[in-house]
């Protein structure tokens, strides 16, 4: 095994799909009981592509299949049908993990280890040399701001601290693709802001981020594209800015105009002139969109939502 | 000591078992692939299933190729750390507590205190270690899966091989540390328990010869550790005590400034590791021709009995005898059982004779009989001298016989043992007589005995880890416990299975279902059950025993790993036995790791 932390991107046969990092094709997951009877249809024929360098958000109410999707993409679950592909390879292949970082819903870490031991342990799972590990562990502890608590056992950590160390372990291998399951839960407002900044910074470094959350404000702030899931079905998929744009409405902001001038504006606008301070479409908040989709889905189950697409 | 099965040489053993091993391997491989195919075929159809099986096998090979020692050791370190955090050292406290109270119950005055002490500590260690291994190994992975800490492990590039093997290595490491500490405690306990000293009990008594000349002294020691010795000293004031509880002491009398001091040394022969060299045993019947021994009614047919005062005898043939190896003669040790048909003089042993013979019938040369009194239960030493006086009745031209020139033929020699008293019987087994080639270090042998326990611990850990990779903690523990119980009774199960299949009733009482009918009805074991459903019951029993037979064949025979009787009886553990135990463990480790790999790999971790 090579000592390198980051595996080189592998050459792919199909040049066109080069920048597709994550792909779900007709991905379906049905939970069955012991006798093979269907219990829950957790995910239904999901088609999804996440491209290199974007921040992709999976949205949905509780039990909508977000975490199932992530687990399928990680190979923690096997699809009932369809395929989950990571870096163009099957998600159950272990090799993909070399270039991947995962922060689970709750930080499932060994409580009897301290921060340094935890990161060192995960570093060893990447076959890093002792020197690399020392350096990397130091960097990451600095990054998540746990220098003061690095010798304490994780069982003494608060939720937010556990979250931070969880993030650090997800970044130990300097991954190309980072999957974050509810990254901001348990963090205080400052921690949340830091987490969001970090996600954006990772994107700027050319990394791909897949996050799932039901904290809509967070998603709206950082995601480039989102998919909205409801009861295991994909309801909406597209760029955040275009999804939230209200197409047939224009909004104008202006200041310092007299009454006449304001009256005149209408003419000016009618003749496409004037000094506009801002002009554009008003946006919904993501919350409005989300609630609308959920309402529509409840009214007409099984249909793709009719909100405008990318 | 009892040696029911001869230990084959390593090479013979490999040849003997290779076919069975390969057969099991093929069955496991094919069976495993078929089960995988079946499972996959149900959900995805046969075509896809075939592809899935092929891919799994291919992936396994690939992942084995990219095995990393560092990752495996990281997993092992985690398992070690986790076990330590679970306070495994409590076992040590329990162990020390057992040792502290054991002294109240272990009788130092028993016939063989060494055997008692050693078998006690080793058995206690064995059971504690197996219990520990059972709990540690079967709880760990399920806890990881339940706490979902496994999510952060399997999303790293760690292979299932490394997870399984890492667990096994980690638990083995912690077990090794604990076992080593227990071994040291045990050794101290045994040595402290059996090593003792005596004082001289009373004034020495002068021994005079017929002319009233002083030829030495005799005396008795004090009663210590439940026994006392008597001793005689020669004119130089040096002598040995008699043999009590298998040991003796050196005694020395010193006169200084008119004061007499007698010193009794430390015990000799208590902590031994005798290296026996066994011969081949055959019997002569009462007319002096080769035949079978007779039964005196014991159910245990380990020893063969033959009648005294007849031509019946037991012949051991030893080979590889050279003058260079035994320049002082043959150091023979024997323990011969006696079956008395009348009481006789109960204080005195039954007389026997021992004749050394040349095995070559062309040179039918034999020594004059050496007479001895049979001593049961503890081996009796007897040095076969290098020269023998000629037999008087055999004509006058006989010369003095030389042991190696006249009685050894191509390194082979025969020793014939007869019982000399009419209507009394000697009972012997092959291991009851041997040449004591030398002694090994007791400490080394004691350590080897603990290696036997260590190997059992490794096996239990393997089973625990593998079961826990698909079962929940409690179920995995019960399954592992079942392998231990089954493993200790392998021979009985195979015997019963054979009896049930062949219908020969060699094991009375029948299979499990039949026994379940006999027990509540209080029927005796041999009475035929008159019931029309009996063929059905027998068929079910055959089915159950078929499964049990398979299980017994697959599960390690733990009783074969116990070296306790060797250490306790003071015999060196033969290298072949030891090597076979190690080989079996290694094979199980490899095969079980493979099984564990496939179980973990095909398991949906997050389901």
């Amino acid at each position: 095994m090579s000592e390198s932390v980051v595996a080189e991107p592998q050459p792919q046969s199909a040049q066109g799909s080069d920048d597709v990092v994550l792909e779900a094709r007709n991905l379906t997951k049905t939970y069955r009981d012991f006798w093979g009877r269907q219990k829950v249809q957790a995910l239904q024929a999901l088609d999804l592509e996440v491209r290199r360098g974007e921040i992709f958000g999976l949205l949905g109410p509780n039990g909508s299949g977000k975490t199932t999707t992530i687990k399928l993409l990680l190979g923690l679950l096997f699809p009932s049908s369809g395929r989950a592909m990571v870096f163009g390879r099957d998600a159950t292949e272990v090799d993909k993990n070399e270039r991947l970082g995962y922060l689970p819903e709750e930080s499932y870490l060994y409580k009897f280890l301290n921060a340094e031991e935890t990161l060192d342990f995960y570093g060893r799972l990447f076959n890093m040399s002792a020197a690399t590990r020392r350096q990397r562990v130091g960097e990451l502890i600095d990054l998540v701001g746990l220098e003061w608590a690095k010798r304490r056992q994780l069982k003494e950590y608060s939720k937010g601290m556990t979250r931070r160390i969880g993030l650090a372990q997800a970044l130990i291998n300097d991954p190309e693709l980072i999957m974050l399951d509810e990254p901001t839960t348990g963090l205080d407002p400052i921690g949340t802001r830091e987490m969001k900044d970090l996600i954006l910074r990772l994107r700027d470094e050319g990394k791909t981020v897949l996050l799932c959350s039901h904290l809509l404000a967070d998603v709206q702030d950082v995601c480039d594209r989102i998919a909205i899931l409801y009861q295991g079905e994909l309801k909406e998929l597209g760029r955040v800015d275009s999804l939230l744009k209200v197409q047939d409405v224009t909004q104008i902001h202006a200041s310092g105009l007299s009454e006449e001038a304001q009256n005149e504006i209408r003419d000016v606008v009618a003749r496409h002139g004037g000094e506009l301070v801002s002009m554009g479409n008003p946006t919904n908040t993501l919350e409005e969109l989300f609630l609308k989709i959920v309402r529509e889905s409840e009214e007409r189950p099984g249909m793709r939502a009719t909100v405008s697409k990318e | 000591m009892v040696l029911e099965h001869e230990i084959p040489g390593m090479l013979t053993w490999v040849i003997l078992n290779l076919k069975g091993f390969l057969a099991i391997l093929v069955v496991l491989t094919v069976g495993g692939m078929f089960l995988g195919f079946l499972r996959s075929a149900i959900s995805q159809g046969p075509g896809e299933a075939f592809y899935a099986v092929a891919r799994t096998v291919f992936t396994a090979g690939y992942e084995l190729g990219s095995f990393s020692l560092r990752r495996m050791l990281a997993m092992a370190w985690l398992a070690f750390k986790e076990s330590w955090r679970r306070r495994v050292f409590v076992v040590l406290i329990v162990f020390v507590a057992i040792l502290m109270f054991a002294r109240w119950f272990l009788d130092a005055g028993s016939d063989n205190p060494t055997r008692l002490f050693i078998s006690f500590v080793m058995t206690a260690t064995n059971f504690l270690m197996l219990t520990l291994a059972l709990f540690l190994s079967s709880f760990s992975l399920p806890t990881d899966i339940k706490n979902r800490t496994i999510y952060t492990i399997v999303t790293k590039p760690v292979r299932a091989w490394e997870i399984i093997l890492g667990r096994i290595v980690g638990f083995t490491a912690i077990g090794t540390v604990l076992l080593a500490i227990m071994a040291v405690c045990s050794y101290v306990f045994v040595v402290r328990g059996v090593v003792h000293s005596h004082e001289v009990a009373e004034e020495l008594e002068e021994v005079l010869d017929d002319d009233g000349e002083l030829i030495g002294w005799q005396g008795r020691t004090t009663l210590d550790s439940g026994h006392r010795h008597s001793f005689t000293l020669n004119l130089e004031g040096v002598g040995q005590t008699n043999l009590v509880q298998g040991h003796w002491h050196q005694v020395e009398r010193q006169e200084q400034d008119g004061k007499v001091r007698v010193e009794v040394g430390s015990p000799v022969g208590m902590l031994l590791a005798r290296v026996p060299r066994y011969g081949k045993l055959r019997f002569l019947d009462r007319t002096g021709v080769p035949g079978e021994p007779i039964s005196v009614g014991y159910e245990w047919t380990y020893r063969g009995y033959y009648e005294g005062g007849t031509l019946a005898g037991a012949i051991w043939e030893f080979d590889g005898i050279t003058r260079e190896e035994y320049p002082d003669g043959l150091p023979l040790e024997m323990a011969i059982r006696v079956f008395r048909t009348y009481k006789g003089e109960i204080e005195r042993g039954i007389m026997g004779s021992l004749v050394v013979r040349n095995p070559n019938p062309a040179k039918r040369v034999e020594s004059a009989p050496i007479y001895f009194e049979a001593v049961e239960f503890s081996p009796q030493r007897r040095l076969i001298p290098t020269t023998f006086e000629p037999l008087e009745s055999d004509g006058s031209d006989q010369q003095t016989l030389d042991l190696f020139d006249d009685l050894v033929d191509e390194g082979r020699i025969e020793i014939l043992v007869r019982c000399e008293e009419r209507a009394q019987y000697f009972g012997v087994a092959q291991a009851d007589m041997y040449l004591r080639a030398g002694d090994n270090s007791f400490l080394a042998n004691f350590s080897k005995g603990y290696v036997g326990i260590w190997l059992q611990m490794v096996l239990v850990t393997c089973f625990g880890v593998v079961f826990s990779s698909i079962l929940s903690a409690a179920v995995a523990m019960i399954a592992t416990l079942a392998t231990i119980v089954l493993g200790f009774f392998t021979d009985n199960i195979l015997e019963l299975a054979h009896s049930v299949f062949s219908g020969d009733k060699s094991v009375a009482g029948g299979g499990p279902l039949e026994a379940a009918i006999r027990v509540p009805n209080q029927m005796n074991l041999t009475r035929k059950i008159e019931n029309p459903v009996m063929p059905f019951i027998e068929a079910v029993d055959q089915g159950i025993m078929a499964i049990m037979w398979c299980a017994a064949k697959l599960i390690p025979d733990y009783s074969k790993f116990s070296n306790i009787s060797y250490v306790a009886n003071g015999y060196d553990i033969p290298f072949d036995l030891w090597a076979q135990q190690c080989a079996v463990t290694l094979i199980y480790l490899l095969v079980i790791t493979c099984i564990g790999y496939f179980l973990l790999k095909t398991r949906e971790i997050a389901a």
Side-chain angles (χ1 to χ4, degrees):
Chain A
M1 286 305 304
S2 91
E3 295 283 65
S4 69
V5 177
V6 187
E8 293 299 315
Q10 292 175 350
Q12 290 195 331
S13 49
Q15 286 297 319
S17 63
D18 199 18
D19 54 355
V20 174
V21 174
L22 279 173
E23 195 181 354
R25 275 193 224 147
N26 196 28
L27 193 61
T28 303
K29 180 66 194 176
T30 313
Y31 288 111
R32 293 178 187 279
D33 68 2
F34 180 79
W35 307 106
R37 289 175 302 194
Q38 180 173 331
K39 252 170 40 184
V40 188
Q41 180 88 32
L43 199 61
Q44 217 164 25
L46 176 70
D47 281 305
L48 202 68
E49 271 185 8
V50 177
R51 302 200 186 89
R52 188 176 301 282
E54 69 177 347
I55 301 177
F56 191 94
L58 274 175
L59 278 179
N62 296 329
S64 58
K66 304 182 300 271
T67 301
T68 300
T69 308
I70 286 209
K71 283 176 180 170
L72 283 164
L73 288 168
L74 284 166
L76 290 172
L77 289 175
F78 305 149
S80 305
S81 68
R83 288 191 79 181
M85 318 258 282
V86 180
F87 302 119
R89 311 271 289 274
D90 199 280
T92 52
E93 282 183 28
V94 163
D95 279 347
K96 68 165 195 313
N97 294 342
E98 297 275 2
R99 303 194 272 160
L100 184 148
Y102 168 53
L103 172 68
E105 222 170 329
E106 281 164 43
S107 305
Y108 302 123
L109 301 167
Y110 291 94
K111 301 260 187 291
F112 52 89
L113 300 179
N114 67 33
E116 271 185 326
E117 285 171 333
T118 303
L119 295 182
D120 189 70
F121 166 67
Y122 288 112
R124 277 193 274 175
L125 295 188
F126 282 98
N127 215 355
M128 294 177 183
S129 68
T132 322
R133 289 202 306 269
R134 242 194 323 276
Q135 185 203 345
R136 197 74 195 130
V137 169
E139 283 170 15
L140 284 170
I141 285 180
D142 271 352
L143 179 77
V144 297
L146 284 173
E147 181 64 33
W148 54 282
K150 65 180 180 183
R151 293 278 155 76
R152 277 164 60 180
Q153 286 197 337
L154 297 197
K155 64 180 170 205
E156 299 170 12
Y157 273 29
S158 70
K159 177 122 201 245
M161 287 159 77
T162 318
R163 216 68 200 128
R164 285 160 193 260
I165 194 72
L167 179 70
Q169 68 80 27
L171 298 176
I172 187 86
N173 57 330
D174 194 14
E176 288 169 55
L177 167 66
I178 301 141
M179 297 200 202
L180 307 169
D181 202 344
E182 310 281 357
T184 54
T185 45
L187 292 178
D188 56 22
I190 298 166
T192 307
R193 187 65 254 168
E194 282 172 356
M195 177 68 89
K196 285 195 257 188
D197 288 345
L198 183 73
I199 292 170
L200 291 170
R201 205 169 84 204
L202 290 170
R203 195 254 321 263
D204 294 342
E205 286 171 18
K207 301 186 192 309
T208 314
V209 180
L210 173 72
L211 63 89
C212 81
S213 180
H214 47 235
L215 296 176
L216 301 168
D218 299 348
V219 176
Q220 190 171 4
D221 280 356
V222 297
C223 287
D224 299 321
R225 289 201 308 147
I226 54 167
I228 297 179
L229 293 172
Y230 182 74
Q231 291 184 344
E233 288 173 49
L234 181 67
K235 294 296 179 189
E236 190 54 76
L237 176 70
R239 294 198 61 81
V240 175
D241 42 15
S242 62
L243 281 176
L244 299 183
K245 187 159 36 173
V246 183
Q247 296 281 9
D248 50 359
V249 178
T250 305
Q251 204 174 36
I252 297 169
H253 279 234
S255 68
L257 293 178
S258 66
E259 189 78 16
E260 299 87 62
Q262 282 181 28
N263 284 330
E264 211 175 317
I265 281 262
R266 294 181 185 94
D267 305 332
V268 173
V269 169
R271 281 183 276 114
H272 309 288
E275 200 174 306
L276 290 173
V277 176
S278 77
M279 184 170 176
N281 302 97
T283 53
N284 283 329
T285 62
L286 187 54
E287 191 177 348
E288 284 166 341
L289 176 74
F290 184 77
L291 292 175
K292 187 173 163 213
I293 287 173
V294 169
R295 265 197 305 276
E296 263 183 40
S297 301
E298 275 167 355
E299 278 163 21
R300 288 181 293 169
M303 298 277 288
R304 182 85 175 249
T306 50
V307 187
S308 57
K309 290 176 201 85
E310 188 186 10
Chain B
M1 82 174 257
V2 173
L3 207 63
E4 286 203 67
H5 305 282
E6 217 177 315
I7 296 152
M10 192 62 193
L11 193 67
T12 327
W13 178 80
V14 170
I15 295 165
L16 222 62
N17 291 291
L18 194 62
K19 227 170 81 182
F21 169 68
L22 289 178
I24 290 175
L25 208 59
V26 168
V27 169
L28 279 183
T29 315
V30 174
M33 277 160 73
F34 181 70
L35 281 180
F37 176 80
L38 220 58
R39 202 175 86 174
S40 192
I42 288 169
S43 56
Q44 291 166 320
E48 190 68 24
F50 180 79
Y51 174 69
V53 170
R55 195 180 51 191
T56 307
V57 173
F58 178 78
T59 311
Y62 170 74
E63 290 190 358
L64 187 61
S66 56
F67 182 88
S68 146
L69 192 65
R70 183 180 283 146
R71 286 193 296 250
M72 191 275 277
L73 289 178
M75 293 308 298
W77 172 83
L78 185 76
F80 188 95
K81 190 108 184 166
E82 185 191 318
S83 311
W84 189 254
R85 195 193 59 97
R86 285 209 229 153
R87 303 201 171 82
V88 287
F89 45 83
V90 170
V91 172
L92 285 181
I93 298 171
V94 171
F95 184 69
V96 170
I98 290 176
L99 289 192
M100 276 158 58
F101 291 108
R103 283 303 297 271
W104 293 357
F105 304 103
L106 293 176
D107 178 16
S110 71
D111 277 346
N112 193 339
T114 319
R115 183 167 64 202
L116 187 68
F117 275 69
I118 293 177
S119 49
F120 171 76
V121 284
M122 287 186 75
T123 311
T125 314
N126 204 343
F127 279 98
L128 272 178
M129 283 317 293
L130 293 196
T131 315
L132 180 77
L134 171 71
F135 277 93
L136 280 184
S137 59
S138 50
F139 274 87
S140 154
L141 258 179
T143 313
D144 254 17
I145 291 171
K146 205 177 94 203
N147 295 341
R148 303 182 183 180
T149 39
I150 192 93
Y151 288 11
T152 50
I153 301 287
V154 293
T155 52
K156 303 284 182 282
V158 58
R159 274 66 171 154
W161 292 115
E162 293 150 358
I163 297 179
I164 297 281
L165 206 57
R167 293 263 161 202
I168 294 175
V169 169
F171 294 134
T172 302
I174 189 113
T176 309
V177 171
L178 295 177
L179 184 63
I181 297 172
M182 284 190 198
V184 172
C185 293
S186 304
Y187 185 75
V188 172
F189 177 78
V190 168
V191 170
R192 278 181 52 101
V194 299
V195 173
H196 58 274
S197 59
H198 297 278
E199 298 291 320
V200 177
E202 53 229 28
E203 284 292 300
L204 295 185
E205 203 177 301
E206 291 187 342
V207 182
L208 306 172
D209 66 1
D210 296 342
D211 307 330
E213 197 90 11
L214 179 73
I215 54 166
W217 295 269
Q218 63 182 20
R220 288 201 310 162
T221 66
T222 49
L223 182 75
D224 293 293
S225 292
H227 69 280
R228 68 166 85 230
H229 302 262
S230 58
F231 58 88
T232 50
L233 303 175
N234 60 15
L235 269 180
E236 279 98 61
V238 181
Q240 290 177 359
T241 68
N242 63 343
L243 201 70
V244 179
Q245 292 184 348
H247 72 276
W248 51 271
H249 301 260
Q250 185 78 25
V251 185
E252 217 168 316
R253 177 181 180 276
Q254 283 169 337
E255 260 178 89
Q256 258 181 347
D257 314 327
K259 276 168 79 181
V260 177
R261 255 184 48 216
V262 183
E263 271 183 23
V264 183
S266 47
V268 180
M270 285 210 104
L271 301 172
L272 290 176
R274 288 172 277 213
V275 183
R277 183 153 169 182
Y278 294 108
K280 283 256 171 271
L281 172 68
R282 63 178 198 273
F283 289 96
L284 300 178
D285 71 10
R286 54 182 301 151
T287 58
V289 297
E292 291 299 309
I294 57 174
S295 166
V296 293
Y298 292 141
E299 258 184 71
W300 194 33
T301 53
Y302 171 64
R303 289 196 171 84
Y305 285 81
Y306 56 94
E307 199 181 344
T310 67
L311 291 175
I315 300 173
W316 279 267
E317 186 182 312
F318 296 94
D319 55 12
I321 308 290
T322 57
R323 191 186 294 277
E324 289 70 40
E325 203 174 341
Y326 303 103
D328 305 325
L330 300 180
L332 206 63
E333 282 199 356
M334 55 186 179
I336 285 173
R337 292 298 164 102
V338 169
F339 180 80
R340 292 176 189 241
T341 54
Y342 62 92
K343 194 172 156 194
E345 200 182 320
I346 203 72
E347 288 288 302
R348 188 179 60 78
I350 301 295
M351 292 303 292
S353 70
L354 192 148
V355 174
V356 185
R357 316 201 302 181
N358 189 319
N360 189 342
K363 306 183 224 163
R364 183 48 85 194
V365 188
E366 59 180 51
S367 73
I370 301 165
Y371 293 99
F372 65 91
E373 201 178 301
V375 175
E376 295 189 75
F377 309 116
S378 73
Q380 188 180 9
R381 286 201 85 164
R382 192 161 281 275
L383 189 74
I384 304 292
T386 48
T387 53
F388 291 95
E389 290 302 312
L391 282 169
E392 278 168 32
S393 58
D394 257 9
S396 53
D397 60 333
Q398 282 272 347
Q399 308 228 323
T400 303
L401 289 176
D402 183 85
L403 178 68
F404 297 102
D405 294 341
D406 299 318
L407 296 168
V408 175
D409 181 61
E410 292 169 354
R412 295 179 305 140
I413 196 167
E414 281 184 359
I415 292 170
L416 167 66
V417 176
R418 286 205 169 100
C419 176
E420 293 295 338
E421 293 187 35
R422 287 182 68 84
Q424 304 286 33
Y425 291 77
F426 272 3
V428 292
Q430 184 159 292
D432 285 344
M433 184 190 281
Y434 53 86
L435 297 176
R436 184 166 163 187
D439 283 4
N440 271 351
S441 139
F442 172 75
L443 184 59
N445 199 38
F446 191 75
S447 315
K448 275 201 281 185
Y450 273 82
V451 171
I453 298 176
W454 185 81
L455 293 174
Q456 292 179 47
M457 181 196 82
V458 173
L459 284 173
V460 172
T461 307
C462 289
F463 274 98
V465 167
V466 166
F467 281 129
S468 71
S469 67
I470 49 161
L471 302 172
S472 69
V475 181
M477 199 194 80
I478 290 169
T480 314
L481 186 64
T483 65
I484 299 176
V485 174
L486 208 60
F488 273 107
F489 296 102
T490 306
D491 282 343
N492 306 46
I493 288 162
L494 293 179
E495 210 180 320
L496 178 61
H498 181 263
S499 157
V500 168
F501 287 135
S502 64
D504 65 358
K505 303 274 176 203
S506 58
V507 178
L513 202 58
E514 192 181 325
I517 291 171
R518 283 182 192 274
V519 173
N521 291 322
Q522 304 188 359
M523 291 173 84
N524 88 30
L525 293 180
T526 48
R527 204 179 106 199
K528 204 162 183 288
I529 300 179
E530 304 288 347
N531 197 323
V533 295
M534 210 42 212
F536 170 74
I537 288 169
E538 274 168 7
V540 172
D541 272 344
Q542 285 188 359
I544 296 174
M545 287 318 292
I547 296 169
M548 294 287 276
W549 184 86
C550 289
K553 282 279 176 192
L554 289 177
I555 283 165
D557 184 348
Y558 286 104
S559 60
K560 289 221 168 67
F561 283 85
S562 175
N563 298 327
I564 296 176
S565 65
Y566 282 95
V567 182
N569 285 300
Y571 290 91
D572 191 52
I573 299 163
F575 174 78
D576 283 323
L577 178 67
W578 202 63
Q580 285 158 25
Q581 292 172 345
C582 291
V584 169
T585 309
L586 188 66
I587 288 168
Y588 269 106
L589 176 70
L590 295 178
V591 172
I592 288 179
T593 309
C594 279
I595 295 174
Y597 169 84
F598 285 110
L599 293 180
L600 190 62
K601 190 74 189 168
T602 52
R603 175 178 180 165
E604 275 188 302
I605 299 285

